Amino acid sequence: MTDAVGSIDMPDAQDEAPESSKKARKGGKRGKKGPFGRLALFYRQIVAELRKVVWPTRNQLTSYTSVVIVFVVIMIGIVTVIDYGFNQAVKYVFG
């Protein structure tokens, strides 16, 4: 049985590189910088990741916030009713 890549039973030999041909890296660019350089790199990476985020529009944010508030109010109501029921049951059982 084959797919677009090749046989499922026999993987392609070119996908795996021999371990002896890889050079061992001992830190690369990060290993040569001091603590402040690594900290600056960390913050640059944070900013780069935040630029990739798809931020919601104001309408989406309002909609999501409304849904969360309604859900929390419903859950508060359910927990209140259950708590009141348990309270009445305990009063009935223990007087």
Side-chain angles (χ1 to χ4, degrees), residues 15-88:
D15 290 344
E16 296 180 16
E19 292 295 324
S20 61
S21 67
K22 293 182 181 179
K23 293 183 179 179
R25 292 182 63 183
K26 292 188 177 181
K29 292 181 181 178
R30 282 183 261 157
K32 296 178 184 176
K33 296 182 181 179
F36 293 111
R38 289 190 305 239
L39 190 63
L41 174 65
F42 176 69
Y43 283 116
R44 281 195 306 270
Q45 289 173 345
I46 288 174
V47 170
E49 288 297 322
L50 285 175
R51 287 185 180 145
K52 296 177 188 177
V53 173
V54 179
W55 297 99
T57 63
R58 184 172 295 274
N59 290 336
Q60 289 173 333
L61 192 62
T62 305
S63 167
Y64 297 159
T65 303
S66 302
V67 167
V68 168
I69 289 173
V70 167
F71 176 77
V72 167
V73 167
I74 291 171
M75 291 308 295
I76 288 172
I78 291 172
V79 169
T80 302
V81 168
I82 292 172
D83 183 52
Y84 180 76
F86 281 139
N87 187 14
Q88 293 302 316

